Amino acid sequence: MSKIPPGAGAPTVGGSDAEALAIEALGFVASDPALMPRFLAMSGIDAGQIRRAAAEPGFLAGVLGFLLGHEPSLMAFCEATGTDPAAVGRARRALPGGADDYEAST
């Protein structure tokens, strides 16, 4: 996957690129002794379920959503991988379950 430099104006990320970025993000989270327990607690899964969960629609979008929900973690990931932070949001939207279009409850 090619890295998108800041300000490159790439409005979308393809599905396979988005998946690759999310898998890279999952590896980043899994390798961090502070982030991994937080991710597991917030996702409600345990470490032994990650492989099975990763095959479920929406899981990879959830990994990116986890990073997007905490700017210091997002920036650490982007610095470590040379990824534009905006590309993470675009990738999340390209994955199943990652779209921002939802109906508000009333």
Side-chain angles (χ1 to χ4, degrees):
M1 176 177 151
S2 61
K3 302 297 180 201
I4 301 169
T12 60
V13 174
S16 61
D17 285 346
E19 187 174 305
L21 182 63
I23 291 168
E24 189 173 16
L26 178 59
F28 176 81
V29 169
S31 70
D32 187 295
L35 284 180
M36 186 61 172
R38 184 170 166 255
F39 175 75
L40 293 174
M42 292 181 77
S43 67
I45 63 174
D46 63 48
Q49 296 173 315
I50 287 183
R51 283 185 193 256
R52 187 173 65 233
E56 296 295 320
F59 179 81
L60 292 177
V63 171
L64 296 179
F66 171 77
L67 287 178
L68 288 164
H70 188 245
E71 188 174 358
S73 299
L74 173 65
M75 297 313 294
F77 168 72
C78 290
E79 246 181 61
T81 61
T83 302
D84 176 12
V88 177
R90 290 190 300 266
R92 187 195 65 181
R93 288 187 297 278
L95 292 168
D100 290 332
D101 56 344
Y102 57 90
E103 287 188 36
S105 61
T106 56

